[in-house]
Amino acid sequence: MDKMKQEQGPVLAICYDFDKTLSPNDMQAQGYIQSIGYEVEDFWKECNLLGDENEMDPNLAYMYLMVKRAHGKVLFTKETLRQNGSEVQLFPGVDTWFERINSYGKEKGLSVEHYIISSGLKEMIEGTKIADCFTKIYASSFLYDEAGVAVWPAQAVNFTNKTQFLFRIEKGALGMNDDAVNQYYQPGKLRIPFRNMIYIGDSDTDIPCMKLVNVNGGHSIGVYNNETKDKTKVFRMLNENRIRYFAPADYTDGSKLETLVKEIIDRTVANEVLERYHYSCIAAKDGKIDEEGDVQ
């Protein structure tokens, strides 16, 4: 076990999609689309048509149209997007969720870190009141010119390339261009192994991440809107073994989701005791420590 991991103890990473996971609707539909004179449904139809006609990544299609349709109507800057983000609605309890979960983990001797992995816009998420709760926000983003105006996609996050960020979190190689993500690590040296990850999402775009976490011993949770009560997607994902659990997107104190995550924290703490014992046995076999656990 590496020195950093020994000093801080085990770490649990909770990874979230954003739209319809932490927020009831697409972030772009909560002010931006309306500001450029579109009906929300019409904007997404045009995005889909652009993508289909040009064999274009859907996320690049919506980013292109955001820039193009803003011309002459909205000054399309990072600050504009952050302002739009400040108006994004969150599900009940989200604003106090992170502090409660962190405190529970700390009581159990576990550090909890939170990550966003979203096809939405990083700049908008950075404008929300919960932005500072995340260790890292992985999302689509723009390149800006000298005047601060968006001119080109800097990052486009789609449903398949979302999985790369789980490997970055696993190895602690969090920077977008940190090539340490491709290095080999002994299982006991991984900063946050998959078994210590929770992925929370709502739809098909989350399936690759959910599956990757599942097959490596982690926990995936499908959430649904508690107002509509529509469980169609989570039932299908459960039937197809994409998720292990589902719950309403209710982040309030004592909710089903909070109870479930706390149970996972308890299980993670107990499991890490066994993992440490396992690796100490391997070290003893290799003559690196004696039977009492002291370094030779």
Side-chain angles (χ1 to χ4, degrees):
M1 200 86 51
D2 67 318
K3 189 171 185 281
M4 179 178 69
K5 196 168 183 180
Q6 284 179 332
E7 288 176 349
Q8 70 176 4
V11 184
L12 176 75
I14 307 181
C15 307
Y16 310 80
D17 179 38
F18 193 90
D19 294 334
K20 300 185 178 68
T21 296
L22 294 174
S23 175
N25 205 346
D26 295 325
M27 62 185 75
Q28 301 89 341
Q30 299 184 56
Y32 169 78
I33 291 175
Q34 294 86 343
S35 74
I36 58 172
Y38 267 86
E39 293 294 328
V40 172
E41 186 176 347
D42 292 339
F43 179 81
W44 292 121
K45 279 183 179 178
E46 187 170 339
C47 289
N48 292 336
L49 182 62
L50 178 67
D52 290 344
E53 289 180 342
N54 296 279
E55 294 189 350
M56 189 177 186
D57 182 285
N59 298 289
L60 289 171
Y62 91 68
M63 294 174 77
Y64 172 79
L65 276 183
M66 286 184 76
V67 173
K68 183 177 181 181
R69 298 309 183 200
H71 187 69
K73 298 176 182 177
V74 175
L75 187 60
F76 198 78
T77 66
K78 183 179 291 187
E79 290 309 311
T80 300
L81 291 173
R82 285 182 173 171
Q83 178 58 41
N84 287 144
S86 71
E87 300 168 6
V88 166
Q89 181 184 358
L90 301 171
F91 276 120
V94 168
D95 54 342
T96 60
W97 164 265
F98 305 97
E99 183 178 355
R100 283 183 278 115
I101 295 301
N102 292 350
S103 295
Y104 187 80
K106 187 175 181 180
E107 289 173 12
K108 300 292 182 173
L110 183 77
S111 298
V112 182
E113 295 179 355
H114 305 271
Y115 296 84
I116 290 288
I117 305 177
S118 171
S119 295
L121 287 174
K122 181 180 180 182
E123 293 87 346
M124 282 192 174
I125 298 169
E126 288 174 339
T128 66
K129 58 186 175 181
I130 60 171
D132 292 341
C133 298
F134 302 102
T135 299
K136 188 76 174 178
I137 297 172
Y138 294 114
S140 300
S141 61
F142 287 98
L143 173 70
Y144 299 86
D145 66 15
E146 297 81 0
V149 177
V151 293
W152 196 262
Q155 190 67 228
V157 176
N158 62 36
F159 66 99
T160 50
N161 72 17
K162 275 186 172 187
T163 57
Q164 70 160 298
F165 304 115
L166 295 177
F167 289 104
R168 292 194 176 282
I169 294 165
E170 178 193 42
K171 296 178 178 181
L174 301 183
M176 291 298 299
N177 297 311
D178 189 343
D179 60 8
V181 70
N182 295 317
Q183 294 178 11
Y184 173 75
Y185 289 72
Q186 293 286 345
K189 301 291 186 180
L190 292 167
R191 183 168 184 270
I192 308 178
F194 279 107
R195 67 175 181 273
N196 290 3
M197 289 188 193
I198 302 173
Y199 189 93
I200 302 177
D202 71 284
S203 66
D204 292 354
T205 61
D206 301 303
I207 284 175
C209 283
M210 290 171 163
K211 190 69 175 178
L212 181 61
V213 169
N214 273 1
V215 300
N216 286 285
H219 309 271
S220 55
I221 303 172
V223 292
Y224 63 91
N225 192 313
N226 204 27
E227 289 190 6
T228 66
K229 308 291 185 185
D230 184 359
K231 303 182 184 71
T232 305
K233 289 182 180 178
V234 293
F235 281 171
R236 178 168 53 80
M237 289 191 291
L238 188 67
N239 285 337
E240 295 173 353
N241 296 315
R242 314 292 193 168
I243 57 175
R244 292 179 60 86
Y245 321 98
F246 66 83
D250 175 5
Y251 296 82
T252 57
D253 191 8
S255 67
K256 181 178 179 181
L257 182 60
E258 181 182 76
T259 301
L260 174 57
V261 169
K262 286 182 175 180
E263 293 284 356
I264 293 173
I265 288 173
D266 291 344
R267 176 174 173 174
T268 301
V269 170
N271 191 54
E272 284 304 297
V273 173
L274 295 176
E275 289 295 324
R276 287 196 297 273
Y277 188 79
H278 167 66
Y279 287 114
S280 70
C281 289
I282 292 176
K285 173 185 71 71
D286 294 339
K288 296 179 181 178
I289 61 174
D290 59 27
E291 292 181 0
E292 283 70 40
D294 295 325
V295 177
Q296 294 284 4

